[in-house]
Amino acid sequence: MTINYASCRRGALAALLMALLSVQAISQEREIKTAVLYAPKLIAEMKQLHSAALSSDYAYIQLAHLCNNIGPRLSGSSQAQQAVQYVAAEMRRLGLDVRLEKVMVPHWVRGSETAELVQFVGQAPNTTQKIVLTALGGSVETPAEGLTTEVVVVDSFDQLASLGREKVAGKIVLFNARFDKQMAAQGYALDAYRLAVAYRGAGPSAAARLGAVASLVRSVGGADYRLPHTGGFGYAGDAPRIPAAAVTTEDADLIAYLAAQGPVRLHLTLTPRTLPDTESYNVIADLKGSEHPEQVIIVSGHLDSWDLGTGALDDGAGVAIAMQTAQLIKRLGLRPKRTIRVIAWMNEENGLMGGRMYAESHKAEIANHIAAIESDLGAGHPVGFSAHINAKGFEMLQPIATMLESYGAGIIRQSQNAEGADISPLDAAGVPTLAPIQDHRTYFNYHHTAADTLDKIVPGELAENAALVAVLAYAIANLQEALPR
Amino acid sequence: MTINYASCRRGALAALLMALLSVQAISQEREIKTAVLYAPKLIAEMKQLHSAALSSDYAYIQLAHLCNNIGPRLSGSSQAQQAVQYVAAEMRRLGLDVRLEKVMVPHWVRGSETAELVQFVGQAPNTTQKIVLTALGGSVETPAEGLTTEVVVVDSFDQLASLGREKVAGKIVLFNARFDKQMAAQGYALDAYRLAVAYRGAGPSAAARLGAVASLVRSVGGADYRLPHTGGFGYAGDAPRIPAAAVTTEDADLIAYLAAQGPVRLHLTLTPRTLPDTESYNVIADLKGSEHPEQVIIVSGHLDSWDLGTGALDDGAGVAIAMQTAQLIKRLGLRPKRTIRVIAWMNEENGLMGGRMYAESHKAEIANHIAAIESDLGAGHPVGFSAHINAKGFEMLQPIATMLESYGAGIIRQSQNAEGADISPLDAAGVPTLAPIQDHRTYFNYHHTAADTLDKIVPGELAENAALVAVLAYAIANLQEALPR
């Protein structure tokens, strides 16, 4: 910015005065609005909640139990059922009104998963090279003895298409698109993820349409520790169902390097099984509102995780943060005017059946759902919150951001999409959705891997998230006027 | 630092002048010494070598072949033998005088390695928790069906001793000492490693002396990506040989967390095999000296690696750097006065048989070994070099450091120990040893893991190391006067 000081000294002074007056005017106007919407008692209680959250280890203790004592919580597993019972019991212990709402979920079980390069240029006699990979959730199996064929490496769907059936049929396709680490490091990790995950989601059927016998994807994530990232995908109706797995970034590089020198043949064995759908549950725990018990603010995370790690970041943290909201309000003897509903969603990872079922079965009461909050991007330091809400609602939330400023969490962002996968069906039905804006620069290093474990949680940052979500939920529950649709 | 300016203004000025004169005097003296030891032609050739190295991808191409086309190179493996043949052929192609010197090496082969927690507090019905681990090199096997028993967690040898036989016998001991990541981040990674690796080395026999049936060590390294670090150890003569493995830091944390709540039982299966010792080789490639061919400067790295990764950092890089030294000298048409001997050592990782055998079989010529250089700490940006040498020799090396200053590599450090494992037997026999001072802050994140792969090498930094080592070797080979013992 360049300013011509010589020609505008006086003008600048006048403009500065105007600006100061204008800021003062806005500030006064805001104070009036704040006072109308947010009673002084509410502001005081929000501060009390925030402070209590920062000095509490409740969320961390809950998360440690979910991760360490129960373990991975893939939908349909015994651990997922145990986690449902645990969260329900804990919410009952706090005095909430708890019910389990039935959800039929997929029950996919990982088997053995091995791969070795059995032919490549320069190979030492009688050797193979191990390829580290993991089946994608929902993959069908290879023959028990595995399959052996050549690998074709492509960087994009366009490149695959340009090869055509002739060069792809009977082979394994490796989609080698890179997760953009620089994008992630600059705070756009979710964007980097969205760009790369297309190959995990649509790759298997795209390869199968050209006759490929299996599909591999370069792991969608930022780690360089020979760590494969699993995840969900869908088989398209018009393509054969072929086995699908994610190789580590290192193994993708290795295969690409060798394939540039000559034919590379891989022996691939994946033995997952898809069992009949299983009965599971969303855990719903209500802290009833004193004035408008029928009006609901959801605060939530998803209880299921992938099976490789223990789902500390994805999304035990979200569940623990939601649990802490209720625990803090109870412990401080506060009572919200509207109902705060803690939900531990089931089956976010491979079906979204919990979120879908809820929106369906609560269709008649959707109009009374004032807002839905979900935390599902780890537990890194939050700098504020994001809301998919209309302009009036966004304006009404401003004082919460102002209150959070002194905690370094004063950013409020109006987004264009649902603020969480589980709450996206509610969002589609018009319910405002909100989420903390977390530091997720390293989130996709661990997400969907065996390394998503408790040590990745910084207790103080988890508490910061619990503080933010508790303040957000409690404030919305006590606004003088309900948030608009 | 506080200076009393008022009382020492004039004195300071005088002191400053004295200091400047003194610096000038030292500088003049150095120039004279440099001119005597380092002919202007030599200085010019050193600069020529450095510059050529920085613009060459030879070392990287060699390393890529070793890692990607050949793969892991554990002593006794077919890949290690292939690597011997490859390096020998490449050195012959460059016109060096190559011979293979026989070394008998251990031949240990990793088997399956699995573990699950089968009992712990809060366990969901019919579930176990997977523990990620890897056998330590040389470990004996468990029964084929595995063994199942309680885990005892200790943080130190003292704590183990305080438990005594009664609480240890029949159990698995987990040594849970932490690798100090802060120490590593501050540039003292090798020190952090030395402190923690004691438990890998001596843990199995310490546990066995108290009747333990297996020994686990928290992985000695800085990664937090569920990545186990293997490594060597020795069974003591006075203790039973029990299976030994390294668990990831995450799994060590998990076991410690659960063991603090109640008994933790582990099912452990390790099926490695120790085969008869195998014939292998040090690759020795001489670039004969023009004036003193009998005087030898060794430039080296070790060709064997662990079996989990492809040994890019440990120590393919060291071999590639040594190969590049010869390649550059040949390519530039230079001829050293003394012989530069490229050595690709065999069996550094689990026996050091290559280094030992060389010192033994070349005992008669040790007096003619002027210096031995080894690079075995990755390929990070070098800031200079370190030498285990006497005061006179150290002084003689100063001009090399001065020449390297403009490349950011002007540090010269006089050390108290041998500068590389393979060259330590030579060091013990009085040969000065040298090594580049590499950035190894993240080296132990990858060292001895499946993630020690080519992508961990920054090509430009590998070239910087090749430049430094080439300059160092060539300078020492051409000094007017041989380095003293």
Side-chain angles (χ1 to χ4, degrees):
Chain A
M1 192 174 71
T2 307
I3 296 175
N4 184 344
Y5 285 102
S7 70
C8 73
R9 231 183 270 163
R10 277 194 209 172
L13 194 64
L16 183 66
L17 276 170
M18 293 284 283
L20 284 172
L21 289 168
S22 153
V23 164
Q24 200 181 13
I26 290 170
S27 160
Q28 281 172 345
E29 192 190 351
R30 280 212 178 141
E31 271 170 30
I32 294 160
K33 274 195 187 169
T34 303
V36 170
L37 284 169
Y38 296 77
K41 180 165 170 285
L42 172 57
I43 296 283
E45 287 168 349
M46 285 159 66
K47 288 183 180 165
Q48 202 186 348
L49 273 169
H50 200 285
S51 166
L54 289 191
S55 63
S56 168
D57 58 4
Y58 178 85
Y60 188 77
I61 289 171
Q62 298 310 313
L63 182 55
H65 187 90
L66 290 173
C67 295
N68 286 356
N69 296 88
I70 296 178
R73 301 173 301 281
L74 186 59
S75 290
S77 67
S78 175
Q79 289 99 329
Q81 307 296 56
Q82 178 94 344
V84 163
Q85 297 303 330
Y86 175 78
V87 173
E90 178 61 21
M91 291 294 99
R92 275 191 203 102
R93 196 184 65 78
L94 294 179
L96 273 69
D97 181 9
V98 177
R99 63 189 180 283
L100 303 183
E101 294 191 355
K102 185 178 142 182
V103 185
M104 292 306 292
V105 297
H107 190 187
W108 179 84
V109 180
R110 188 175 302 280
S112 67
E113 35 195 31
T114 60
E116 314 84 38
L117 299 182
V118 296
Q119 186 195 322
F120 51 92
V121 171
Q123 185 178 23
N126 306 313
T127 66
T128 60
Q129 279 207 64
K130 183 175 179 179
I131 294 297
V132 180
L133 49 63
T134 195
L136 295 182
S139 172
V140 298
E141 71 280 17
T142 64
E145 71 282 10
L147 55 85
T148 302
T149 186
E150 194 176 329
V151 184
V152 178
V153 183
V154 298
D155 292 330
S156 66
F157 289 120
D158 283 351
Q159 200 186 343
L160 177 70
S162 75
L163 290 177
R165 172 168 280 272
E166 195 188 337
K167 291 185 178 155
V168 172
K171 297 180 181 163
I172 296 170
V173 172
L174 165 60
F175 292 96
N176 194 28
R178 285 164 188 276
F179 176 85
D180 191 329
K181 291 190 202 185
Q182 284 177 286
M183 200 181 270
Q186 290 180 45
Y188 296 89
L190 195 57
D191 300 86
Y193 180 70
R194 282 182 185 140
L195 288 170
V197 80
Y199 295 95
R200 190 186 82 206
S205 289
R209 278 187 204 102
L210 296 179
V213 295
S215 177
L216 302 178
V217 65
R218 183 186 179 96
S219 280
V220 183
D224 58 354
Y225 285 88
R226 206 92 184 260
L227 191 66
H229 297 241
T230 189
F233 73 105
Y235 285 119
D238 66 341
R241 297 183 164 221
I242 60 174
V247 300
T248 75
T249 56
E250 288 91 342
D251 291 276
D253 283 347
L254 175 65
I255 294 170
Y257 173 94
L258 294 172
Q261 298 181 348
V264 172
R265 288 172 66 82
L266 183 78
H267 175 228
L268 173 69
T269 309
L270 302 173
T271 64
R273 284 171 306 148
T274 299
L275 305 176
D277 285 0
T278 303
E279 189 170 309
S280 188
Y281 308 92
N282 290 328
V283 182
I284 318 272
D286 281 355
L287 212 162
K288 283 284 183 232
S290 57
E291 292 185 11
H292 309 286
E294 78 291 355
Q295 294 183 13
V296 170
I297 290 89
I298 290 173
V299 51
S300 65
H302 66 83
L303 193 50
D304 66 305
S305 74
W306 280 106
D307 57 332
L308 297 174
T310 57
L313 292 166
D314 187 13
D315 180 34
V319 172
I321 289 164
M323 291 170 81
Q324 170 115 54
T325 296
Q327 188 266 352
L328 284 171
I329 294 171
K330 278 288 185 182
R331 199 186 91 199
L332 296 176
L334 304 178
R335 180 110 193 250
K337 290 183 180 167
R338 299 182 183 82
T339 293
I340 290 181
R341 176 168 293 172
V342 174
I343 303 186
W345 303 102
M346 183 49 61
N347 187 229
E348 189 274 343
E349 294 296 1
N350 56 339
L352 209 66
M353 296 312 293
R356 287 176 180 162
M357 174 59 65
Y358 181 91
E360 180 64 26
S361 62
H362 292 262
K363 199 183 276 179
E365 314 128 50
I366 288 280
N368 271 328
H369 282 68
I370 304 301
I373 305 169
E374 179 165 24
S375 169
D376 186 18
L377 212 53
H381 170 70
V383 293
F385 63 90
S386 187
H388 186 214
I389 194 168
N390 65 23
K392 191 190 167 201
F394 190 67
E395 179 64 24
M396 286 172 69
L397 294 171
Q398 285 285 353
I400 306 178
T402 304
M403 183 257 153
L404 290 168
E405 267 174 23
S406 62
Y407 304 103
I411 292 178
I412 169 168
R413 198 177 56 188
Q414 191 172 12
S415 63
Q416 307 307 314
N417 297 103
E419 284 294 344
D422 299 285
I423 56 178
S424 62
L426 293 172
D427 186 279
V431 179
T433 55
L434 300 95
I437 304 174
Q438 287 147 331
D439 182 355
H440 64 296
R441 288 174 297 172
T442 63
Y443 178 75
F444 292 101
N445 290 3
Y446 300 108
H447 168 260
H448 294 192
T449 76
D452 180 2
T453 48
L454 185 65
D455 57 300
K456 305 313 176 307
I457 303 294
V458 178
E461 297 187 357
L462 179 68
E464 288 175 346
N465 280 289
L468 186 144
V469 169
V471 164
L472 200 53
Y474 190 75
I476 297 172
N478 287 279
L479 280 178
Q480 294 291 353
E481 182 187 323
L483 279 184
R485 306 307 288 263
Chain B
M1 194 173 69
T2 308
I3 296 174
N4 183 342
Y5 285 102
S7 71
C8 74
R9 231 182 270 162
R10 278 193 205 171
L13 195 64
L16 183 65
L17 276 170
M18 292 283 285
L20 284 172
L21 288 169
S22 154
V23 164
Q24 200 181 13
I26 290 172
S27 162
Q28 280 172 347
E29 193 189 350
R30 280 210 178 146
E31 272 169 29
I32 293 160
K33 277 195 184 168
T34 302
V36 171
L37 285 168
Y38 296 76
K41 178 164 172 283
L42 172 56
I43 296 283
E45 287 169 350
M46 285 159 66
K47 289 184 179 166
Q48 202 187 348
L49 273 170
H50 199 285
S51 165
L54 290 191
S55 63
S56 168
D57 58 5
Y58 178 85
Y60 188 77
I61 288 170
Q62 298 310 313
L63 182 55
H65 187 90
L66 289 174
C67 295
N68 286 355
N69 296 89
I70 296 178
R73 302 173 301 280
L74 186 60
S75 289
S77 67
S78 174
Q79 289 100 329
Q81 308 295 57
Q82 178 95 346
V84 163
Q85 298 304 330
Y86 176 78
V87 173
E90 179 61 21
M91 291 294 98
R92 274 190 205 105
R93 196 183 65 76
L94 294 179
L96 274 69
D97 181 9
V98 177
R99 64 189 179 282
L100 302 183
E101 294 191 355
K102 185 178 144 182
V103 185
M104 292 305 291
V105 297
H107 191 187
W108 179 85
V109 180
R110 190 176 299 282
S112 67
E113 35 195 32
T114 60
E116 315 83 39
L117 299 181
V118 295
Q119 186 195 322
F120 52 90
V121 171
Q123 185 179 21
N126 307 313
T127 67
T128 60
Q129 279 207 63
K130 183 176 181 180
I131 294 296
V132 179
L133 49 64
T134 195
L136 295 183
S139 172
V140 297
E141 71 279 17
T142 62
E145 72 281 10
L147 54 84
T148 303
T149 186
E150 195 176 330
V151 184
V152 178
V153 183
V154 298
D155 292 330
S156 66
F157 289 120
D158 283 351
Q159 200 186 344
L160 178 70
S162 75
L163 290 177
R165 172 169 280 272
E166 194 188 338
K167 290 184 178 157
V168 172
K171 297 180 181 165
I172 296 170
V173 172
L174 166 59
F175 292 96
N176 194 29
R178 284 163 190 276
F179 175 85
D180 191 328
K181 291 191 203 184
Q182 284 176 287
M183 201 181 272
Q186 289 179 45
Y188 295 90
L190 196 57
D191 300 85
Y193 180 70
R194 282 181 185 140
L195 288 170
V197 81
Y199 295 95
R200 190 186 82 206
S205 290
R209 279 188 202 99
L210 296 180
V213 296
S215 177
L216 302 177
V217 64
R218 184 185 179 97
S219 280
V220 183
D224 60 354
Y225 285 88
R226 205 90 184 262
L227 190 66
H229 297 240
T230 189
F233 73 104
Y235 285 118
D238 67 340
R241 298 182 163 221
I242 60 174
V247 300
T248 75
T249 55
E250 289 91 341
D251 291 275
D253 283 346
L254 175 65
I255 294 170
Y257 173 94
L258 294 173
Q261 297 181 348
V264 171
R265 289 171 67 81
L266 184 78
H267 175 229
L268 173 69
T269 308
L270 302 173
T271 64
R273 285 172 305 148
T274 299
L275 304 176
D277 285 0
T278 303
E279 188 170 308
S280 190
Y281 307 93
N282 289 328
V283 182
I284 317 272
D286 282 355
L287 212 162
K288 283 286 184 226
S290 57
E291 293 185 12
H292 309 286
E294 78 291 356
Q295 295 183 12
V296 169
I297 289 89
I298 290 173
V299 52
S300 65
H302 66 83
L303 193 50
D304 66 305
S305 74
W306 279 106
D307 57 333
L308 298 173
T310 57
L313 292 166
D314 188 13
D315 180 32
V319 172
I321 289 165
M323 293 170 80
Q324 170 115 55
T325 295
Q327 189 266 351
L328 284 171
I329 295 171
K330 278 288 186 183
R331 200 186 89 198
L332 296 176
L334 305 178
R335 180 111 192 250
K337 291 182 180 166
R338 300 182 181 82
T339 293
I340 290 181
R341 177 168 292 172
V342 174
I343 304 186
W345 303 102
M346 183 48 62
N347 188 229
E348 190 273 344
E349 294 296 2
N350 55 340
L352 208 66
M353 296 313 291
R356 287 176 180 161
M357 174 60 67
Y358 182 91
E360 180 63 27
S361 61
H362 292 262
K363 200 183 276 180
E365 315 129 49
I366 288 279
N368 271 328
H369 280 68
I370 304 302
I373 304 170
E374 180 165 24
S375 169
D376 186 18
L377 211 54
H381 170 69
V383 293
F385 63 92
S386 187
H388 186 215
I389 194 167
N390 65 22
K392 190 188 168 203
F394 190 68
E395 180 63 25
M396 285 172 69
L397 295 170
Q398 284 287 353
I400 306 177
T402 305
M403 182 257 154
L404 291 168
E405 265 174 23
S406 62
Y407 304 103
I411 292 178
I412 169 168
R413 198 177 58 188
Q414 192 172 12
S415 63
Q416 307 308 314
N417 298 105
E419 284 295 344
D422 299 285
I423 56 179
S424 62
L426 293 173
D427 186 278
V431 179
T433 55
L434 300 95
I437 303 175
Q438 287 147 332
D439 182 355
H440 64 296
R441 288 174 297 172
T442 63
Y443 178 74
F444 292 102
N445 290 3
Y446 300 108
H447 169 260
H448 294 193
T449 75
D452 180 1
T453 47
L454 185 65
D455 57 300
K456 306 312 176 307
I457 303 294
V458 178
E461 296 187 357
L462 179 68
E464 288 175 346
N465 280 288
L468 186 145
V469 168
V471 164
L472 200 53
Y474 190 75
I476 296 172
N478 287 280
L479 280 178
Q480 294 291 354
E481 181 186 322
L483 278 184
R485 304 307 288 261

